[in-house]
Amino acid sequence: MRHDWTQAEVEALFALPFNDLIHRAQSVHRRHFDANRVQLSTLMNIKSGGCPEDCAYCPQSARYRTGVGAGPLADAAEVLAAARDARDAGATRFCMGAAWRSPKDRDLDAVIEMVRGVRALGLETCLTLGMLTAAQARRLKDAGLDYYNHNLDTSEAYYPEIITTRGFADRLQTLRHVRDAGMRVCCGGIIGMGEAVADRAAMLQTLASLPEHPESVPINLLVRVEGTPLASAEDVDPIDLVRTIAVARILMPASVVRLSAGRRELSDAEQALCFLAGANSIFYGEKLLTTANPEIERDRRLFDKLGLHAAPL
Ligand code: SAM
Ligand code: DTB
Ligand code: SF4
C-alpha cells in the first residue's frame, strides 16, 4: 500500500480523462473487493445541537440559527431501540454522533453503555464525539468500540476558512490517539464548501499519507442548511463527486469508501457512477444526523436495479 502520493500525482489523477479515471478506480476496486457488495451504516444523533464549535457547514453549531435545538444525551434504551430497527432493516454498523467539541469523561460512561448494548445486538459500532484524549480513546477501545469517526473535512490550507475554533493539527492528533488505542479509523471529508480541486486532492493526499490508511473514508457532499454560513454554497457537479470518490479509491485501495451525506441530491444514475468509481458503503436509513437521507425503499429499489447486495465488508 502506498503512503507517499505527492500532491502533484493526486492532482494528475483528478485531471485524467473521466473514462480513464473510472477504469483505473474500478480495476483497483476489483482487486480488493467484491464489486457488487455495499456496506450499510445507520446514523443516530445521540446528542443534538448546542455545539460550541463554528464549523461553517454544521447545523448543530450553537452559533447559527438553523432550527436544530440543543438536547441532552439520548438515553440508552432509545439508542438500543433505534439500533435494533437499523439492524432489522439491514444495516451492519450503527454510528452514533454527538454535537460535542470533545466528550467529558462522565459522558463517556453513558456512551460506553450504548456501545456495549449495540454490540450485543450483533452490530458493528462507530462513534463520533469530537476530539479525544489518548486516555479517552483507550477507554473506548476497552469498551469494544469498533470504529471512531473523525473527519479532516477539507485540506489543511482551506481548513481555517471553514473552522476557526480548532485546527487541522488537532484533528490529526485525535486520529493518532484513536489509532494508537488500536481502533479502526473512519476519516474523510466534505466537498462543495467552495474549495478548489487542489484542496480535494490535498485532503485525500493527507489521508493516504497517514501511517495506516483509514479503514473507512466517508466522502460527504455538503448538505446546505439554512442559517449556516454555507447555506448558499454553489452546486457541486456530480461528476466532480464521482472523480473525488475515484481518486479516494485509487489512493486507498483496501479502504471502504463511503458515499455519505448528500445522496438525496443525486439521481440513481449518479449514485451508480459513484459505485462504479469505487464507493462501497452508504449511510442507510431515513435520517443522517439532523438532515434527511434517501428513504429505505428508494435504496432497496436502487440496489435491486444495480444488482448490488448489502453485506459487511
Ligand atoms: N462533533 C463531532 C465532530 O465534529 O467531529 C462529531 C459530529 S460531526 C456532525 C461529524 C461530521 O459530520 C463532520 O465532521 C462533517 O464531516 C459531517 N457534517 C456535518 N454537517 C454536515 C453537512 N451539512 N453536510 C455534510 N457533512 C456534514
Ligand atoms: C460523516 O462523514 N458524515 C456523517 C457522519 N460521518 C457522522 C454526518 C453527516 C451529517 C450531515 C448533516 C446532518 O444531518 O446534520
Ligand atoms: Fe460541532 Fe461537530 Fe458540528 Fe463542528 S461538526 S459544529 S464540532 S457538531
Side-chain angles (χ1 to χ4, degrees):
M1 221 54 75
R2 275 187 67 182
H3 295 261
D4 62 351
W5 287 88
T6 66
Q7 173 76 13
E9 284 177 316
V10 180
E11 288 186 34
L13 290 175
F14 272 95
L16 282 173
F18 187 75
N19 288 345
D20 290 346
L21 176 63
I22 300 306
H23 178 67
R24 197 160 152 185
Q26 176 66 202
S27 306
V28 168
H29 190 52
R30 281 170 184 267
R31 251 177 260 141
H32 293 271
F33 293 101
D34 172 345
N36 303 309
R37 195 183 269 217
V38 174
Q39 183 272 332
L40 307 181
S41 290
T42 294
L43 275 166
M44 179 176 186
N45 204 12
I46 60 169
K47 158 69 186 83
S48 174
C51 182
E53 302 282 83
D54 70 352
C55 312
Y57 49 78
C58 188
Q60 303 201 74
S61 165
R63 297 167 195 241
Y64 317 132
R65 289 174 58 114
T66 62
V68 174
L73 185 60
D75 60 63
E78 188 192 341
V79 174
L80 294 191
R84 190 184 298 270
D85 288 347
R87 182 196 64 185
D88 293 347
T92 59
R93 190 177 308 161
F94 195 67
C95 311
M96 295 160 272
W100 286 323
R101 171 180 165 82
S102 51
K104 296 189 187 71
D105 286 334
R106 69 178 143 80
D107 294 325
L108 277 195
D109 297 332
V111 170
I112 281 170
E113 189 192 334
M114 296 173 195
V115 169
R116 295 215 166 100
V118 172
R119 285 197 102 213
L121 292 170
L123 285 158
E124 294 181 315
T125 50
C126 180
L127 287 175
T128 181
L129 313 173
M131 298 186 276
L132 295 183
T133 64
Q136 288 177 328
R138 282 194 298 270
R139 278 191 69 198
L140 293 174
K141 170 67 187 170
D142 290 344
L145 180 65
D146 299 297
Y147 288 83
Y148 195 79
N149 164 258
H150 201 64
N151 289 338
L152 293 182
D153 286 331
T154 191
S155 67
E156 182 168 15
Y158 199 61
Y159 202 83
E161 305 292 320
I162 302 298
I163 301 152
T164 70
T165 48
R166 57 167 190 253
F168 197 75
D170 297 320
R171 292 308 261 188
L172 293 173
Q173 186 182 52
T174 291
L175 291 170
R176 263 195 307 276
H177 292 159
V178 170
R179 189 55 95 189
D180 290 347
M183 276 182 288
R184 283 177 270 179
V185 172
C186 173
C187 182
I190 306 178
I191 72 167
M193 303 193 295
E195 73 286 347
V197 172
D199 293 303
R200 295 175 192 158
M203 179 182 85
L204 294 179
Q205 194 268 345
T206 302
L207 291 174
S209 304
L210 291 171
E212 287 177 79
H213 294 163
E215 283 77 5
S216 166
V217 180
I219 305 295
N220 296 276
L221 193 56
L222 174 70
V223 179
R224 291 168 289 196
V225 178
E226 208 53 58
T228 63
L230 289 171
S232 343
E234 277 189 34
D235 285 344
V236 172
D237 185 332
I239 294 292
D240 292 330
L241 170 65
V242 178
R243 281 185 182 278
T244 306
I245 288 172
V247 173
R249 167 54 61 224
I250 293 166
L251 299 189
M252 294 167 277
S255 302
V256 171
V257 176
R258 183 172 307 109
L259 170 58
S260 300
R263 280 197 306 117
R264 254 167 53 106
E265 301 278 310
L266 302 176
S267 66
D268 286 359
E270 288 160 350
Q271 293 188 66
L273 278 176
C274 292
F275 296 128
L276 191 64
N280 56 352
S281 170
I282 57 168
F283 284 125
Y284 175 70
E286 267 120 54
K287 209 159 167 223
L288 292 165
L289 292 173
T290 67
T291 66
N293 197 41
E295 281 159 16
I296 283 182
E297 265 317 307
R298 182 183 162 194
D299 281 340
R300 289 197 176 139
R301 280 197 302 275
L302 175 64
F303 275 45
D304 280 350
K305 201 193 292 198
L306 301 178
L308 294 174
H309 46 267
L313 293 168

